[in-house]
Amino acid sequence: MRIGIGSDHAAFEMKEELKQYLEEKGFEIVDYGTYSRDRCDYPVYGERVALAVKAGDVERGVLICGTGVGISLAANKVKGIRAAVCSEPYTARLCVQHNNAQIIAFGARVIGIDTAKMILDEFFGAVFEGGRHQNRVDLISAVEEGQIL
Ligand code: RB5
């Protein structure tokens, strides 16, 4: 599987370590930055990875900032993208099984590297269950189009 990864300066070190972890597991990684510890703006990297997922350049994405919140908010502004912020592995599995999330996000200032690895294991091991969940995901898309109320 081809994966896009992105972070801001707050998560640069974690991104580098997780890239290596995922590569060792056989994933192909595309790094959308940031490429140094220099201060930068998380929406740039959230949008880059989200657009890559939307375009089909990568199948899924990983986004990391200080909390995981800002970078996921930016990614979720791209139509059709479902980015889920997780701090533990259970949600990382369920956000795929039930919500068909294409992007996982977390905070390098919130969780440690071992938890981050467990989250990635669950996220990439999970498959969307479809069925009743498909209708709900379709409703999320309808909200995006302003069609529900
Ligand atoms: C950067 O200081 C920090 O605001 C950012 O990494 C992130 O936590 C925002 O949501």
Side-chain angles (χ1 to χ4, degrees), residues 69-96:
V69 173
I71 203 160
S72 62
L73 288 176
N76 278 314
K77 295 296 178 193
V78 174
K79 241 182 204 180
I81 290 300
R82 292 173 299 279
V85 191
C86 299
S87 295
E88 36 68 35
Y90 176 76
T91 306
R93 171 151 45 96
L94 269 289
C95 78
V96 176

Side-chain angles (χ1 to χ4, degrees), residues 8-10 39 42 65-71 109:
D8 70 357
H9 56 285
R39 196 179 301 272
Y42 56 79
C65 64
T67 59
V69 173
I71 203 160
R109 294 173 179 163

Side-chain angles (χ1 to χ4, degrees), residues 68-145:
V69 173
I71 203 160
S72 62
L73 288 176
N76 278 314
K77 295 296 178 193
V78 174
K79 241 182 204 180
I81 290 300
R82 292 173 299 279
V85 191
C86 299
S87 295
E88 36 68 35
Y90 176 76
T91 306
R93 171 151 45 96
L94 269 289
C95 78
V96 176
Q97 289 181 338
H98 289 191
N99 314 117
N100 202 12
Q102 314 103 318
I103 296 180
I104 192 86
F106 41 85
R109 294 173 179 163
V110 178
I111 61 170
I113 191 71
D114 289 339
T115 303
K117 289 175 181 174
M118 290 171 77
I119 284 173
L120 293 181
D121 289 345
E122 292 296 330
F123 179 68
F124 289 114
V127 175
F128 180 50
E129 288 176 359
R132 69 184 191 279
H133 302 296
Q134 183 62 62
N135 183 50
R136 294 162 185 163
V137 172
D138 290 344
L139 286 170
I140 294 174
S141 303
V143 172
E144 208 167 43
E145 300 293 339

